[in-house]
Amino acid sequence: MSDSAFHYVDGVLHAEGVSAASLAQQFGTPLYVYSRDALTRTYRAYADACAGRRAVVHVAVKANSNLAVLNVFARMGAGFDIVSSGELARVLAAGGKAENTVFSGVGKSAAEMREALEAGVKCFNVESIPELHALNEVAKSLGKRAPVSLRVNPDVDAKTHPYISTGLKSNKFGVAFSDARATYREAHAMPNLDVVGIDCHIGSQITEISPYLDALDKLLDLVEQIESDGMSIRHVDVGGGLGITYDDETPPDIGDFVRALLAHIEKRGHGQREVYFEPGRSLVGNAGVLLTRVEYLKPGEEKSFAIVDAAMNDLARPAMYEAFHRIVPVVKRDAPAHTYDVVGPVCESGDWLGRDRDLAVEPGDLLAICSAGAYGFVMSSNYNTRPRAAEVMVDGERARLVRQREDVRQLFAGESILPD
Ligand SMILES: *Cc1c(COP(=O)(O)O)cnc(C)c1O
């Protein structure tokens, strides 16, 4: 396994000190299992590399918004990066602080802006001129000034999957680099906005440092221009996006990544500025697995299928991005492996979790779908009226249920039939 929180003991997969087989027995499947130790170690890797610098780690809530996961980070003093007022409510419920939260996202509604201003978020990462106007109006109606940073699109190629690349001219995110200076002047002229920073977020599952350095160079050039226009930029937010090992990727080590960016900022003469990070996947991705049970084996001439009780509604990434997740047995069998497509019960050909996997399995066996901590449960749905999975957090020898498995009746509790 790529993360030592999940490892085998006598042929049985464990999460820290707890057997995954016993977790499945106790809580049922499909089951998301997170490791507190793994969450702690990735966060510490960021925080330790920031030590001695005015740098803040903001956990990207959308990658995994379970309250227990957010609380583990909040206890360590993390900031948060949210993309909706729903995520703000989660941060507050998990013990996070609004004044350490930045609000990102391309389509914030006036109601969301109001909630966030009233709660006192640290900064709005604004993505367009109309959004600046809207925020200025909302702030005015509350008699407040909203702290803003513009998300600038540096037009660099993050060399990642097109659906998760966000820093190119051709996608919907951010203010175009060529318009940014003028947009800052407009923001500065709005009486209820307070220009405080600049930000970018160039994509996700990025496995090289160079796209970040390219983006930083463009951002820092811009900061110099903006300051010569009479504004002061207190913080530079480099976004998230650092990749993890799903298969054979070799992303930079978290500490090396942070140190390289901070050193670059220093070298460019901007060492006095506060630096914000917004990691999601690299904090939580390898801190979680999805446990599932094999229902049926279906041999075929062209393909053989292992039909499991988890599906695309539980883990959407394979269906959505053709993403690869390692799939391993929970209890190793001493038997020859066969090649299977691991698929769920949902009525879609796109409902697969892994293709052409060599597995020695029998019906009833448990499998672990690895690296499922990021964009896993949060993207799950009730398609096919499937209740969403339970979530468990392991901490040493203990396991706690941190989200109950949904009940079918809950799924249609808000629905009603016509009276006549
Ligand atoms: C999604 C997102 C992140 C986190 O991205 P990861 O690839 O999970 O690190 C950070 N900032 C913004 C603005 C985002 O939209």
Side-chain angles (χ1 to χ4, degrees):
M1 308 283 299
S2 51
D3 196 297
S4 58
F6 299 97
H7 56 270
Y8 285 95
V9 180
D10 297 333
V12 180
L13 183 69
H14 280 58
E16 301 191 28
V18 182
S19 134
S22 71
L23 290 172
Q25 183 72 36
Q26 186 179 352
F27 299 104
T29 53
L31 181 70
Y32 276 96
V33 179
Y34 307 122
S35 155
R36 180 180 188 173
D37 181 55
L39 296 170
T40 302
R41 280 190 283 120
T42 51
Y43 180 80
R44 286 278 167 235
Y46 273 98
D48 290 351
C50 290
R53 282 292 294 264
R54 298 202 313 129
V56 185
V57 183
H58 300 85
V59 176
V61 174
K62 75 174 192 281
N64 187 321
S65 59
N66 182 283
L67 293 194
V69 171
L70 300 182
N71 174 256
V72 165
F73 293 125
R75 285 169 192 245
M76 293 187 283
F80 293 94
D81 169 48
I82 57 167
V83 293
S84 69
S85 59
E87 287 189 352
L88 175 59
R90 283 183 175 275
V91 166
L92 299 177
K97 294 195 170 67
E99 63 264 29
N100 217 1
T101 297
V102 297
F103 193 173
S104 299
V106 70
K108 303 172 195 78
S109 70
E112 289 182 306
M113 290 172 175
R114 193 170 307 117
E115 278 180 53
L117 265 173
E118 281 175 337
V121 300
K122 179 164 63 173
C123 187
F124 289 84
N125 291 344
V126 173
E127 302 211 12
S128 66
I129 292 175
E131 189 191 338
L132 282 176
H133 285 287
L135 183 58
N136 185 54
E137 284 307 310
V138 173
K140 188 175 158 196
S141 73
L142 295 172
K144 288 180 187 277
R145 282 166 68 91
V148 299
S149 155
L150 287 187
R151 175 168 173 178
V152 174
N153 185 337
D155 196 26
V156 298
D157 183 0
K159 303 183 182 81
T160 185
H161 189 285
Y163 278 14
I164 50 179
S165 166
T166 56
L168 281 170
K169 267 186 191 159
S170 52
N171 65 51
K172 72 177 178 182
F173 297 104
V175 175
F177 187 79
S178 52
D179 299 336
R181 187 174 182 180
T183 309
Y184 265 99
R185 284 201 212 101
E186 281 205 45
H188 188 51
M190 294 187 199
N192 291 85
L193 299 185
D194 198 5
V195 170
V196 296
I198 190 165
D199 72 282
C200 69
H201 172 69
I202 58 175
S204 202
Q205 186 51 18
I206 300 168
T207 54
E208 291 170 45
I209 293 180
S210 61
Y212 285 97
L213 301 183
D214 294 346
L216 259 180
D217 276 331
K218 298 190 81 170
L219 236 57
L220 295 176
D221 288 346
L222 198 54
V223 166
E224 289 162 11
Q225 295 172 5
I226 296 163
E227 293 206 326
S228 73
D229 290 341
M231 282 160 265
S232 82
I233 299 293
R234 294 207 292 271
H235 76 254
V236 176
D237 183 338
V238 298
L242 182 63
I244 62 170
T245 302
Y246 284 100
D247 184 12
D248 53 7
E249 305 90 336
T250 52
D253 166 80
I254 291 172
D256 292 344
F257 164 79
V258 169
R259 282 185 289 270
L261 266 58
L262 292 177
H264 194 75
I265 292 169
E266 187 118 13
K267 193 179 87 194
R268 285 278 318 251
H270 290 261
Q272 79 286 8
R273 277 180 227 286
E274 202 169 0
V275 181
Y276 291 1
F277 293 89
E278 298 173 350
R281 188 190 312 271
S282 55
L283 289 172
V284 296
N286 273 324
V289 299
L290 173 60
L291 302 183
T292 184
R293 198 176 285 281
V294 178
E295 301 274 21
Y296 304 105
L297 294 179
K298 191 172 169 185
E301 259 176 44
E302 299 235 323
K303 283 256 179 202
S304 294
F305 297 96
I307 302 170
V308 299
D309 67 0
M312 64 185 288
N313 75 295
D314 299 299
L315 180 67
R317 298 187 68 257
M320 199 162 160
Y321 312 114
E322 303 202 320
F324 179 93
H325 288 262
R326 287 178 60 204
I327 301 178
V328 299
V330 168
V331 181
K332 284 185 181 166
R333 270 183 188 278
D334 199 10
H338 295 284
T339 306
Y340 297 100
D341 276 12
V342 178
V343 302
V346 164
C347 306
E348 297 279 347
S349 301
D351 180 24
W352 58 278
L353 298 167
R355 286 184 169 146
D356 298 324
R357 303 305 174 86
D358 293 334
L359 293 164
V361 281
E362 296 292 339
D365 282 7
L366 292 165
L367 297 173
I369 302 169
C370 303
S371 312
Y375 306 105
F377 184 89
V378 286
M379 283 188 164
S380 63
S381 77
N382 295 118
Y383 189 38
N384 283 204
T385 304
R386 288 170 51 85
R388 283 182 294 172
E391 295 174 284
V392 163
M393 175 95 67
V394 170
D395 183 9
E397 308 287 318
R398 288 180 308 174
R400 280 236 168 72
L401 184 65
V402 293
R403 192 182 206 276
Q404 292 175 0
R405 184 175 305 286
E406 280 177 340
D407 186 272
V408 169
R409 303 200 66 84
Q410 279 175 274
L411 304 192
F412 53 82
E415 299 177 26
S416 51
I417 55 178
L418 296 178
D420 48 23

